[in-house]
Amino acid sequence: MTRPLVPRAYRPVLAHPRLRRLLPAFVASDFGGGMSMVAVAWLALLIAPDGREGLLVGAALAAYALPGAAGVLLLGRWLRKLPARRLLMANCALRGTLLGCVPLAWGLGILDPVTYVVLLGCSSVLTAWGSAGKFTLVGELLPERHRLAANALLGASISTSIVAGPAVAGFLATAVSPAWIIGLDALTYAVLAVQTARLGPGGEERQEAAAARPAGRGLRLLAGQRELLAILVLTWLFFALYGPVEVALPLYVTGVLDGDAGLLGLFWTAFGVGAVAGGLTVGALRRLPLWPVTLGIVAGWGATLLLPYGLGAGTAAAMACFALGGAVYGPYPALSFTLFQNRTPRGWLTTVLAARGAVLLTSTPVGAALGGPLVAAFGARAVLAGSGAATVGVAVVGTGVWLATRGARPVAEAGDGPGGGPDGDGPDDDGARGDGARASA
């Protein structure tokens, strides 16, 4: 009776027998990560020595994410041979086990700052490989025409977790230690590992393992595919220019708007709601001109920062623009992942996505690191407006490059197949036809 309420583009994704088992576990794991956004920093504050709270919070947040980039560089020789399903399982097992040690150490009274940072850092070594395995597995299970919708669902899950996860963590923290909230995050990884293991190996896994290639050649393929390299550079700049926003927005809310933590939470909630709506909307569409849409998203997000903060808008207008910015940004992850899934030859996708993840893991931290001195020198409102202006500038330069080169190659669309790239690179016809077999596996 409720089937007509589901947009047509999402019905094949939700009806896929193997993917349907994983989607609830993906949602639970994303939600656990959303709770840890608050719990990791909060626990660091509780165990930090007097006067060193800021240092430990920064170290804990960095340890929770950044070692994933080192994992790509140091472990690629061994991990690139594993099928996507096993990579996802390995990351979940490592993450769940070591994060589970945090509440255990807390309960035993032996959780000191060094132990905490080491556990967080070691738990995140496989994050880039795990993300690569996740999106590779989805790309293998589904034919090309359904990948955009699937990626939109996964993106909406992540955006929803940003809205709900911190709120739930804040509520739970009134009754329990943040260490136990991190334990809940560990439990969600364990659930995802079990559900992934229950899938069992499919035909796509055997094909992927048989086609495994040296990691170095996979990285060179990413550098040699002009379209993939261009979207990676655009994404890095996009995310790096977002970094200062994370630093400036809290100071803008508490300083210029004379607000409190509750108002800051409303800003992020508005962004998250907009991102969910925008991501789900793009997933219902079939074919999109890739570069006009992605460049439009970058420019649109920059404008939602430049206009309200540059013109000194009030609280309501600034929050409305932040929600609009979320809706503009929402489709970007799904479009980016779909391009990589469709353009990367079979047997290379996990290596290429892991390299992508390693590169992008550095983008927002670099921007945030620059944001602190910029805010100190120019003020929060100027940094927010400047970040928007610079983002619009990146979109303008990107548009100029795209217009200058489009005459030499066809316009790429989000629904194009892997052999349709502008450079003619990609699998042969047999590889393109193989999607049907992978979808039914």
Side-chain angles (χ1 to χ4, degrees), residues 300-360:
W301 164 254
T304 62
L305 287 177
L306 174 61
L307 294 178
Y309 302 113
L311 298 176
T315 302
M319 188 176 296
C321 286
F322 213 55
L324 178 60
V328 170
Y329 166 78
Y332 193 90
L335 289 168
S336 176
F337 273 114
T338 302
L339 171 67
F340 273 81
Q341 289 167 339
N342 291 351
R343 288 290 190 271
T344 306
R346 180 193 301 160
W348 300 83
L349 187 55
T350 51
T351 297
V352 170
L353 286 181
R356 174 191 183 276
V359 171
L360 295 184

Side-chain angles (χ1 to χ4, degrees), residues 230-245 271 293-305 325-333 335-336 356 360 363-364 367-368 387-388 390-395:
I231 198 71
L232 181 62
V233 171
L234 177 67
T235 304
W236 195 94
L237 293 172
F238 188 17
F239 289 2
L241 289 172
Y242 161 79
V245 175
F271 175 86
V293 172
T294 52
L295 291 167
I297 288 172
V298 175
W301 164 254
T304 62
L305 287 177
V328 170
Y329 166 78
Y332 193 90
L335 289 168
S336 176
R356 174 191 183 276
L360 295 184
S363 57
T364 301
S387 174
T391 304
V392 172
V394 167

Side-chain angles (χ1 to χ4, degrees), residues 138-301:
V138 170
E140 291 169 351
L141 292 175
L142 294 171
E144 292 164 16
R145 63 183 181 277
H146 299 319
R147 289 173 184 167
L148 181 60
N151 292 332
L153 282 176
L154 297 181
S157 172
I158 295 172
S159 297
T160 302
S161 73
I162 295 173
V163 177
V168 173
F171 173 77
L172 291 176
T174 62
V176 299
S177 164
W180 301 111
I181 299 174
I182 295 175
L184 289 178
D185 187 15
L187 181 61
T188 64
Y189 277 107
V191 170
L192 179 54
V194 170
Q195 286 296 93
T196 306
R198 290 182 61 194
L199 285 182
E204 77 285 340
E205 181 169 313
R206 291 187 293 270
Q207 292 167 359
E208 186 79 7
R213 288 158 168 102
R217 287 192 62 193
L219 297 174
R220 287 196 295 272
L221 179 121
L222 174 58
Q225 289 267 19
R226 286 181 292 173
E227 190 174 26
L228 295 183
L229 184 61
I231 198 71
L232 181 62
V233 171
L234 177 67
T235 304
W236 195 94
L237 293 172
F238 188 17
F239 289 2
L241 289 172
Y242 161 79
V245 175
E246 291 191 339
V247 178
L249 185 64
L251 297 175
Y252 178 81
V253 169
T254 57
V256 178
L257 299 183
D258 196 25
D260 54 14
L263 181 59
L264 177 61
L266 287 177
F267 266 86
W268 287 116
T269 298
F271 175 86
V273 171
V276 172
L280 290 176
T281 298
V282 77
L285 303 177
R286 294 301 301 270
R287 296 176 71 85
L288 295 170
L290 175 74
W291 282 105
V293 172
T294 52
L295 291 167
I297 288 172
V298 175
W301 164 254

Side-chain angles (χ1 to χ4, degrees), residues 83-85 87-88 128-138 140 350 353:
R85 184 181 68 93
L87 283 174
L88 180 56
W129 287 105
S131 176
K134 174 182 177 179
F135 284 94
T136 299
L137 183 59
V138 170
E140 291 169 351
T350 51
L353 286 181

